[in-house]
Each structure stands twice: as structure tokens, then as C-alpha cells.
Amino acid sequence: MNSNQPQNETDVIIPSDNETVIIPEDAKPISSESDKSKLSGYQSPEQIEELKKKHGGEIHEVEVDGKLAYFKKASRPTLRAALSFLDKDKLKYMEIILINCFVAGDRSVLENDEDMYGIVDVVPALTKGKLAKIKKF
């Protein structure tokens, strides 16, 4: 197994500047029946339910240039690793989140620069927590 692949849910991939993006082997595009099924990376509703069970609830579907990709919410270790780059390299921050949250679909959206630039806007949805309230006494 490649040492750059996550060994478990708490491992985080931090790509170097000259490194190829590595996506889990079980995240393969699969076609199905609906109109979206013609898009590269389509996952059926049943497959999405399986992804939700496997990855803990929320799955976000992102479409870019005729391709579909599916992302889970960012884990605390992923967010911690990404935040270490927030002030130094915002693109690296977003790459870390997107690469580690990708669970299925067309993985070329992470490898093609134009596609990647198109999906960086989903990062806030992958890192959004619950609304907290504060009260001063």
C-alpha cells in the first residue's frame, strides 16, 4: 500500500506541491438509470445511502463540467491538518479538505486544475458545524 494513502479514518493526506493526488481505491465511478446517470461519476440513490452509512451521515454531491463527485463532512484530523495551511496557502487548505473528504464519483475533478478551482466553493459546506449560541453574563 502506498504510504501516502490514509491507513484509517484518522489519517490525513497532505499533498506536496509535486505529488499526484491519491484517492481511495473504493471510490470508483458507477453508472445508473436517471438523467444524472449519464454524468461521469454518478452514484445511484442506493449507493449514496451506502456512502452515508459508511461515512457517517452527510454526503454532498458536486457537479462540475459534466462530472459528479461525492464528499463526506471533514473529520477533525482533516480539519486540523488543513487549518495549519490556512494562513500560508489557502489552496493547499482547500486541497487537503477536498482530497480527504472525497468518497466516490469521478476522481478527475481533484486532478484537473480547472475542475478543482470549480469545486473549492464546496469547502465551507464540508467544514460547517452546528450553530452555536453565546450569551454574556
Side-chain angles (χ1 to χ4, degrees):
M1 179 179 282
N2 188 323
S3 63
N4 291 331
Q5 290 183 323
Q7 303 299 311
N8 59 52
E9 284 292 316
T10 60
D11 289 345
V12 176
I13 301 168
I14 301 177
S16 66
D17 292 333
N18 60 356
E19 185 175 20
T20 303
V21 174
I22 300 168
I23 305 302
E25 288 300 315
D26 62 346
K28 295 181 181 173
I30 300 172
S31 62
S32 192
E33 66 286 339
S34 72
D35 287 340
K36 279 188 177 180
S37 70
K38 295 178 180 125
L39 298 177
S40 177
Y42 172 79
Q43 301 287 293
S44 71
E46 295 81 16
Q47 291 167 314
I48 293 171
E49 285 304 314
E50 286 300 314
L51 290 172
K52 288 165 96 176
K53 288 178 188 172
K54 181 177 180 180
H55 297 289
E58 276 185 37
I59 297 294
H60 298 267
E61 178 183 87
V62 178
E63 181 179 343
V64 60
D65 196 28
K67 302 171 203 163
L68 291 172
Y70 299 85
F71 298 88
K72 66 180 180 176
K73 294 277 283 186
S75 66
R76 207 181 275 199
T78 295
L79 191 55
R80 184 178 298 117
L83 285 171
S84 69
F85 289 94
L86 187 59
D87 292 331
K88 299 178 271 187
D89 187 344
K90 286 184 175 50
L91 184 57
K92 176 85 69 185
Y93 160 80
M94 291 183 250
E95 286 176 330
I96 291 168
I97 291 171
L98 291 169
I99 290 167
N100 287 281
C101 293
F102 179 88
V103 294
D106 189 333
R107 63 180 71 131
S108 72
V109 300
L110 300 175
E111 298 162 354
N112 177 293
D113 286 347
E114 288 185 28
D115 291 346
M116 179 67 99
Y117 302 150
I119 64 173
V120 295
D121 290 335
V122 305
V123 169
L126 302 177
T127 59
K128 186 176 180 183
K130 294 182 178 179
L131 179 62
K133 295 180 182 181
I134 185 169
K135 183 176 182 177
K136 184 177 178 181
F137 291 99

